[in-house]
Amino acid sequence: MIVMAAHATQEQVRAVVARIQSLGLSAQVNRGAERTVLGVVGHESESDLDALGLLDGVERVVRVLHDYPLASRDFHPEDRVINLPGGAQLGGPGVLVMAGPCAVESRSQLQAAAEAVAGQGVKVLRGGAFKPRTSPYAFQGLGGDGLKMLRAVGDDLGLAVVTEVLAPEDVELVAGYADLLQVGARNMQNYRLLQACAQVDRPVLLKRGMSATLEEWLQAAEYILAGGNLQVALCERGIRSFEPLVRFSLDITSVPVLKRMTSLPVVVDPSHAAGRYEYVKAIGLAAVAAGADGLLVEVHPNPSEALSDGAQSLNPKAFAELMGGARKVAEAVGRQIT
Ligand code: PEP
Ligand code: MN
């Protein structure tokens, strides 16, 4: 990491970046409120680093000893903010709720779910078009048709849309319809997919692998950041534990721990952790209290007929109750649901 002096000029920053590139290294620039920090990635030598430290405008060169330099708070001390169309903001002062069905099943199902969540003030619609199902015999999603429905319903109601991308070769297609790309738990360490997500101009919501440590997760995020896409948010969705009565165990501690390690926005998905609709509100509120920057919630107009994850999906009434509770908890911790 190269910390520029507070008085360093743009010209000096440009000269340092050019020198970094001439050494065959790459530089990510964070222009902070106080000063500019350059994250240098590559296999640099000790003498190269010493030489960079002598350039005009450089205050100091800091070796970052952990494995996620660009994700770390050292590189970007201020909380990072992702702006989505329609004024939705992830990582800002508000807590952003993203909600909708697990899977896009039909235009009418999606429309009903979208109206229910928009009616609660939600600005981001979720819905899976490509579904990573455990069983190859389960509903796999509507694919391209689902993406089109998502975009049409989102545009109709003025909602941004988030949807999962499963494969590197689908990234461009999905980016053509979605405002936020979701990488699912099962793909957190699909490095080719992460690299492909770095190539498009769309923010990425990276879910935690169900057995991933926080450092493994941040290194996965690092693949996207190092590839040149600095718009990454993390989503805790529960980890495998020895407890069979819930689908996963929500690691609520990950929220404050991540907040120290990284300035990337941290979202919590209480639906996949709980596995049952009865528990979604309680752990969703706990996430807001713990400092999450957003919630990702599954809502279905008629959960008993859902083609995937019906047991954990909230109906519109239960979702309204979650939102009511979340508003109170957010206020209690000095934030607002957006
Ligand atoms: C989903 O959001 O529908 C999903 C498949 O989630 P996860 O990757 O967390 O299992
Ligand atoms: Mn789901």
Side-chain angles (χ1 to χ4, degrees), residues 254-273:
S254 71
V255 179
V257 177
L258 285 171
K259 286 274 161 194
R260 287 190 62 154
M261 299 167 85
T262 179
S263 47
L264 299 174
V266 179
V267 174
V268 170
D269 170 352
S271 305
H272 288 85

Side-chain angles (χ1 to χ4, degrees), residues 67-133:
D67 298 317
Y68 47 91
L70 299 176
S72 74
R73 233 184 226 286
D74 301 335
F75 171 59
H76 197 300
E78 311 89 16
D79 286 339
R80 299 181 225 202
V81 177
I82 294 173
N83 287 303
L84 297 167
Q89 207 177 52
L90 191 47
V95 178
L96 184 68
V97 177
M98 300 175 276
C102 177
V104 176
E105 299 168 5
S106 66
R107 175 81 194 230
S108 58
Q109 170 255 12
L110 183 64
Q111 185 79 30
E115 284 173 10
V117 303
Q120 287 300 314
V122 166
K123 295 199 195 93
V124 185
L125 175 64
R126 69 147 284 154
F130 295 98
K131 294 304 302 174
R133 304 306 300 279

Side-chain angles (χ1 to χ4, degrees), residues 11 51 76 219 248 272:
E11 201 42 58
H76 197 300
Q219 287 174 87
F248 295 96
H272 288 85

Side-chain angles (χ1 to χ4, degrees), residues 25 33 43 69 74 81 98 106 132-133 137 152 170 176-177 207 209 214 234 240 244 291 317 336:
L25 308 169
H43 297 284
D74 301 335
V81 177
M98 300 175 276
S106 66
R133 304 306 300 279
Y137 306 118
D170 293 341
Y177 292 95
K207 292 189 124 189
L214 299 182
L234 303 164
R240 263 279 145 78
K317 180 167 172 285
Q336 250 191 342

Side-chain angles (χ1 to χ4, degrees), residues 102 126 131 247 272 298 308-309 312:
C102 177
R126 69 147 284 154
K131 294 304 302 174
R247 189 173 179 193
H272 288 85
E298 287 189 341
S308 73
D309 286 350
Q312 70 197 31

Side-chain angles (χ1 to χ4, degrees), residues 18-25 43 48-49 51-52:
R19 182 66 164 269
I20 291 166
Q21 287 166 346
S22 77
L23 293 168
L25 308 169
H43 297 284
D48 286 347
L49 286 185
L52 289 170

